[in-house]
Amino acid sequence: MGIAKKLGQLLATVLLVTLFSAFLLTLLPGDLADIIVPFGTDAQREQVREDLQLDAPFPVQYARWLGDFVRGDLGDFYNGPTSRRPVAETVKEALPKSLELMLWAQVIALVIAIPLGVMTAYKNGSKLDRFSGIAGFAMLAFPAFALGFVLQYFFGVRLGWLPTGGFVPASVSVSGHVKSMILPAITLAVAQIAIYMRLLRSDMIQTLQQDFILMAKAKGLSSRTVLFRHALRPSSLTLLTVAGLNIGTLIGGALVIEVVYNIPGMGLQMAKAIGGRQPIAFQSMVAIIAIFYVLVNFAVDLLYTVLDPRIRNASN
Amino acid sequence: MDLGPSMAVTVEAIEDQAPAGAGRKKLGAGAWLAIGWIVGLGVLAVIAPWIGVPDPTETFPEYARSGPSAAHWLGNDGLGRDLAARIIYGTRASYIVGFGAVAFGLLIGGFLGLVVGFFRGRVDAIITPLMTVLLAIPQFVLALALVTVLATPQRAGETINPSVRLGVVVLGLGLVSIPILGRITRATTMAWSEREFVLAARAMGAKQFRIMFREVLPNVVPAMLSIALLGVGIAIVAEGGLALFGAGVQLPTPSWGNIIATDKDQLARSPHIILITSMVIFLTVMALNYLGDVVVERFDVRESVL
Amino acid sequence: MSAPHVVDGPAPTGLPGAGPLLEVRDVRTQFSSPRGKVRAVDGVSFTLDRGKTLGIVGESGSGKSVLSRSIMGLLPGNAERTGQILFEGRDVSDLDPEARRALWGPEMAMVFQDPMTALNPVLKVGRQITESLRLHLDMDKAEARETAVELLRAVRIPEPESRINAYPHEMSGGMRQRVVIAVALACGPKLLFADEPTTALDVTVQAQVLDLLAEQQRQRYMAMILVTHDLGVVAGRADDIAVMYAGRVVEKAPTRTLFSGMRMPYTEALLSAIPKLADPSHTRLNAIGGRPPDLVNPPAGCAFAPRCPYAKERCHQEQPVLTETAPGSGHFFACHYPVGSPENAEVADQLEAKRLMSIAPPPPPLLQGEGPEGGEV
Ligand SMILES: Nc1ncnc2c1ncn2[C@@H]1O[C@H](COP(=O)(O)OP(=O)(O)OP(=O)(O)O)[C@@H](O)[C@H]1O
Ligand code: SF4
Ligand SMILES: [Mg+2]
């Protein structure tokens, strides 16, 4: 499939997603202005209604929201009737933190899961394999937020090695920053490790039975070369697909973990929007996340095309 | 230049061996343990009022935040409510959310998946793009958005009726699960619809819906069941996540999720609240996942479909 | 039967390891399986001289591949091997993995059966050739690349300079098999295993690939073990032929001898299974009825007995031993009632009659009277 067509699909999906999230707002019971500034005066409410063109029909509202959104205006976060802050500013601060958390979690997950997946496939049935199978099973069943609290308790409260929560910007203290990210990133990584390990293992077991693996062995290559050059490469494509599918889970997990560890990322901001009854801000953030999600999946698709010579050639 | 069939027969016995466990008729101890845990908790939650479990909303201020004691086996929560009672009664809400959401998702998603997988063509062209949009928003975010929107009180300070809120949580998580359950049902249905006996039934002119329900559906059920079991666990955990955002089951009705969310600030002082409740969720999800695996193994559901 | 057969003629002297290149003594390989031990190779011995070709022939499942892999040491984890393998006089049967890997490539190499699956789909063919060059021959990148191009040229791949950057899926089956051969030849092995190198290829390409192998073998003075289930493939190409059945060698002889005077009923059956272009296509299908025996519980007597047209009481009880027709003839066989023995005459006649019936088209009426006379000539 051509890149242009993929881009078109991407755009259509993003439009549909935002349309859908805008539509959700129309489902809100009662007057939106009442919800946003519950204790305001009538005049203030009127102001909000005017700002948001609440009396206009849905298509107009959506078009307006979309126009603003494209220009980077994500609406305002009302802290009471008179004080408000642009959501775009909040997102600008929050998004990088969420991204960093997810990035670290992915790195940790892959660094641990790849060698384990390869080794357990190679030593299929060994003690290591059986043990990591059970461990993976347990890791998958442990809810991320519960794990977050458990780790926070043991490493933060009991042992006191790491902060129990909060976010230290790298500009303030690099070591403080790293310390504040360790537990959240590990918490988020745990389930991913289990998923990747399980998947890579079963995929590698199949790959290892292929003729080309026997042939690679027959060349006298070391086990390590056979495993990592000849077997991991084809399997890494499967890994990539799953990583793409996983992004959704990862995003959901990151949001929850931000609340658990009190990291002011998108998750915490969304929680604030809910608590502060700010549907517009909430919708804009949902849209941002959905767009990010769609973009990542698009990137995974592209990467897949680049990595697999069979697909690459087919599309040329 | 290959030889004829009689020459080419290999000794196939070894390759033909079914994977270990596939043919086993009896459930193992692990499966029974898992079933026992899940059913036992459910039964306990139902009969709680008659076996002396305290009211989960009754507070014992002198016991607030205290750990396990003779009077309160699992200790008390931040307000002094009996933790065991809250967990046992919380099972009600958590099970309703878990099983209810998946049942809802399965009813709609499963039916759509079956129809689309069986008829393909035009039906597929309409439904699949819709599903794609639902899938384009991370599941948790979508559920959060749905619950927030559908359960927002009109004015600050007002609270939503707890059972309405519970219904909305079930609905939100159920809606979110539709595309996933639908996709899996669709893939499995497609695979089974290609089988000879289905093609034969079609060729013989049997009624399409009849074939779909009588020939295809029974074979699709194991895949649906295994993914549904995983789904129940996911939904129970998701409710916990929602609760952290204040969008879970409405207090004072306990759910496993809101027990943790309510007392998340007590972690340092009274860790037992969160640790014990987490352990209950963990064991339940593990039991569900294990049963899902058992179904996969016994009915030989292909992993690729999942 | 385990006595190694004496090499004819004077062995080249002065060379390191003068004497046979490969000597295999009583090799047995078993696999553990859920049903029990699978005796895939059950006591095989032979010797192979430098530059010579041994054809190993047998039905599917007779243990040809397992034998080759046992010799090479390329067995899976559930396999257990006994017996001795001497390569250039050195015992290589129980080398540690490191030492064994050092053999693979420069000493022995293998051409695999199916070129569609033998090459790694995500690595360029050039890389798949150069990696062993760099490992075993310590070449640098440029050198290895140049050598790889030469190898591709040697196996008759057109435009090797650009083909070296191709991925396997961009090549046809025949091309890929040439690449597989190039990979095997890369480090100049002294012994090449070709395990059904052409079964997966089109008929037209098969001969080309086999000729290529023969040519390379001659140029490199390389010994080859050519595995096939088709006697026709080894007929003009092997110096010796060993026929395998149920994990054992049941007949072995210099090629000419085997074709002119085969003794083993199984070999005879295999021969009649060679499709002849002249034959109507259905004739070869009923060459040997029945299935090969179960290798977990092999039958007590001759393993071929359940399918052998000449089988008698004794065959079901007593296992025939591999014996030489005449001392020094180099022709071994394992059979109680070999082809041409008086006990078989009656059955043989019936078989021949049947065969003729199935091949010959219904004779035209004019010639009907001549039939019997023609038979007497
Ligand atoms: N890894 C293994 N585990 C168990 N049994 C095996 C294994 N590999 C081979 N076998 C068995 O060993 C026997 C001999 O197999 P082998 O592959 O050597 O036959 P072959 O003569 O090469 O046949 P083909 O012409 O089909 O290649 C077969 O019965 C096979 O089932
Ligand atoms: S020993 Fe008997 S059964 Fe076996 S091949 Fe010879 S004649 Fe046939
Ligand atoms: Mg073979």
Side-chain angles (χ1 to χ4, degrees), chain B residues 8 10-15, chain C residues 30-33 38-41 58-69 76-79 113 195-196 227-229 244 247 293 295:
Chain B
T10 335
V11 183
E12 281 159 341
I14 296 106
E15 288 92 299
Chain C
Q30 302 188 327
F31 293 101
S32 40
S33 81
V38 184
R39 298 199 218 161
V41 173
E59 286 176 280
S60 200
S62 54
K64 310 177 299 286
S65 296
V66 175
L67 176 61
S68 323
R69 285 170 197 189
N78 64 336
Q113 176 170 355
D195 190 351
E196 314 208 27
V227 173
T228 171
H229 51 224
M244 278 188 83
L295 297 179

Side-chain angles (χ1 to χ4, degrees), chain A residues 22-44:
Chain A
F23 171 72
L24 271 186
L25 283 189
T26 66
L27 296 181
L28 277 173
D31 188 350
L32 202 52
D34 273 347
I35 295 172
I36 294 177
V37 282
F39 303 113
T41 63
D42 281 349
Q44 286 165 337

Side-chain angles (χ1 to χ4, degrees), chain A residues 200-276:
Chain A
L200 190 58
R201 174 181 175 275
S202 65
D203 203 68
M204 281 274 286
I205 286 178
Q206 283 183 17
T207 309
L208 287 177
Q209 284 164 356
Q210 303 279 328
D211 281 359
F212 65 79
I213 294 298
L214 197 65
M215 172 141 159
K217 275 191 204 162
K219 289 181 200 169
L221 303 175
S222 68
S223 320
R224 186 200 294 216
T225 313
V226 172
L227 284 175
F228 286 90
R229 186 185 299 162
H230 283 268
L232 182 58
R233 273 217 190 185
S235 288
S236 62
L237 294 171
T238 326
L239 202 64
L240 187 67
T241 319
V242 173
L245 290 173
N246 239 348
I247 293 288
T249 325
L250 194 68
I251 293 174
L255 302 185
V256 171
I257 282 162
E258 285 170 16
V259 177
V260 170
Y261 284 99
N262 207 10
I263 294 173
M266 290 296 280
L268 209 61
Q269 295 305 341
M270 281 167 76
K272 272 193 193 150
I274 294 170

Side-chain angles (χ1 to χ4, degrees), chain A residues 2-73:
Chain A
I3 297 252
K5 197 172 167 200
K6 273 194 180 151
L7 269 172
Q9 270 183 349
L10 172 79
L11 212 65
T13 317
V14 169
L15 272 179
L16 281 173
V17 166
T18 54
L19 192 63
F20 177 78
S21 59
F23 171 72
L24 271 186
L25 283 189
T26 66
L27 296 181
L28 277 173
D31 188 350
L32 202 52
D34 273 347
I35 295 172
I36 294 177
V37 282
F39 303 113
T41 63
D42 281 349
Q44 286 165 337
R45 236 175 274 169
E46 206 44 54
Q47 183 62 45
V48 170
R49 199 165 287 142
E50 206 169 287
D51 284 350
L52 302 179
Q53 291 183 347
L54 289 185
D55 298 322
F58 172 71
V60 177
Q61 279 188 41
Y62 175 68
R64 195 197 92 109
W65 177 84
L66 189 65
D68 285 353
F69 190 87
V70 171
R71 263 178 274 119
D73 178 0

Side-chain angles (χ1 to χ4, degrees), chain C residues 35-369:
Chain C
R35 287 178 56 239
K37 297 257 180 231
V38 184
R39 298 199 218 161
V41 173
D42 200 17
V44 171
S45 309
F46 64 82
T47 55
L48 179 63
D49 289 340
R50 284 163 205 281
K52 298 282 186 211
T53 302
L54 171 69
I56 298 183
V57 189
E59 286 176 280
S60 200
S62 54
K64 310 177 299 286
S65 296
V66 175
L67 176 61
S68 323
R69 285 170 197 189
S70 302
I71 297 170
M72 219 171 144
L74 201 61
L75 288 169
N78 64 336
E80 203 183 295
R81 202 216 65 232
T82 59
Q84 260 189 328
I85 294 145
L86 304 178
F87 187 78
E88 298 190 303
R90 162 177 166 227
D91 190 341
V92 296
S93 17
D94 293 302
L95 290 180
D96 61 81
E98 182 86 14
R100 175 158 296 138
R101 281 202 292 269
L103 287 183
W104 293 342
E107 306 293 336
M108 33 176 106
M110 186 174 275
V111 174
F112 287 83
Q113 176 170 355
D114 186 355
M116 300 320 245
T117 57
L119 292 170
N120 193 326
V122 299
L123 293 180
K124 291 179 181 172
V125 297
R127 177 82 180 271
Q128 302 193 47
I129 300 175
T130 51
E131 64 181 348
S132 46
L133 292 173
R134 301 201 57 190
L135 175 77
H136 294 291
L137 307 185
D138 265 335
M139 291 188 183
D140 63 29
K141 240 184 177 156
E143 234 180 322
R145 199 188 151 81
E146 225 169 275
T147 315
V149 171
E150 284 318 309
L151 279 161
L152 288 180
R153 206 189 307 282
V155 295
R156 305 264 162 70
I157 287 192
E159 299 165 44
E161 293 87 355
S162 62
R163 284 306 186 137
I164 199 162
N165 289 321
Y167 286 95
H169 70 273
E170 297 167 295
M171 300 180 150
S172 68
M175 281 296 157
R176 289 195 214 185
Q177 192 62 313
R178 289 165 196 271
V179 173
V180 172
I181 292 172
V183 169
L185 295 178
C187 299
K190 296 172 185 140
L191 171 60
L192 186 73
F193 293 89
D195 190 351
E196 314 208 27
T198 58
T199 346
L201 301 178
D202 284 347
V203 186
T204 44
V205 187
Q206 288 184 351
Q208 295 171 14
V209 169
L210 286 168
D211 290 345
L212 172 71
L213 274 173
E215 173 197 302
Q216 290 297 322
Q217 181 191 13
R218 225 175 301 120
Q219 285 177 8
R220 292 160 189 266
Y221 198 56
M222 178 176 73
M224 178 155 81
I225 291 184
L226 180 59
V227 173
T228 171
H229 51 224
D230 187 347
L231 263 176
V233 165
V234 284
R237 297 186 164 90
D239 299 295
D240 288 290
I241 292 177
V243 179
M244 278 188 83
Y245 188 73
R248 292 163 171 267
V249 171
V250 291
E251 181 157 19
K252 192 179 64 146
T255 306
R256 215 172 258 280
T257 319
L258 188 87
F259 279 99
S260 61
M262 60 184 57
R263 307 303 308 276
M264 181 59 195
Y266 178 62
T267 315
E268 187 185 46
L270 272 183
L271 186 64
S272 57
I274 300 181
K276 298 184 188 72
L277 284 178
D279 285 0
S281 60
H282 65 274
T283 46
R284 64 196 175 96
L285 298 186
N286 37 36
I288 307 182
R291 284 173 135 233
D294 181 7
L295 297 179
V296 177
N297 301 301
C302 172
F304 190 52
R307 303 163 74 188
C308 178
Y310 311 127
K312 302 203 178 10
E313 197 48 36
R314 185 178 166 208
C315 305
H316 290 281
Q317 268 131 35
E318 197 185 314
Q319 193 171 339
V321 180
L322 198 64
T323 38
E324 203 164 6
T325 48
S329 70
H331 184 179
F332 298 79
F333 68 94
C335 177
H336 297 307
Y337 306 104
V339 177
S341 52
E343 293 92 333
N344 296 344
E346 199 179 319
V347 187
D349 286 349
Q350 285 168 11
L351 280 179
E352 181 62 7
K354 231 190 195 165
R355 196 182 70 87
L356 288 176
M357 299 262 287
S358 73
I359 294 175
L366 248 182
L367 296 174
Q368 222 159 20

Side-chain angles (χ1 to χ4, degrees), chain B residues 30-106:
Chain B
W32 284 116
L33 212 65
I35 292 175
W37 172 267
I38 292 165
V39 174
L41 265 179
V43 169
L44 211 57
V46 172
I47 64 169
W50 297 283
I51 54 167
V53 177
D55 184 332
T57 55
E58 189 185 348
T59 53
F60 304 89
E62 67 280 16
Y63 279 104
R65 293 187 296 271
S66 59
S69 61
H72 305 282
W73 293 356
L74 300 183
N76 301 66
D77 75 357
L79 295 177
R81 293 173 293 199
D82 184 273
L83 184 60
R86 285 193 78 69
I87 290 178
I88 290 172
Y89 277 94
T91 309
R92 291 182 175 184
S94 286
Y95 271 24
I96 289 175
V97 169
F99 288 97
V102 169
F104 181 84
L106 212 53

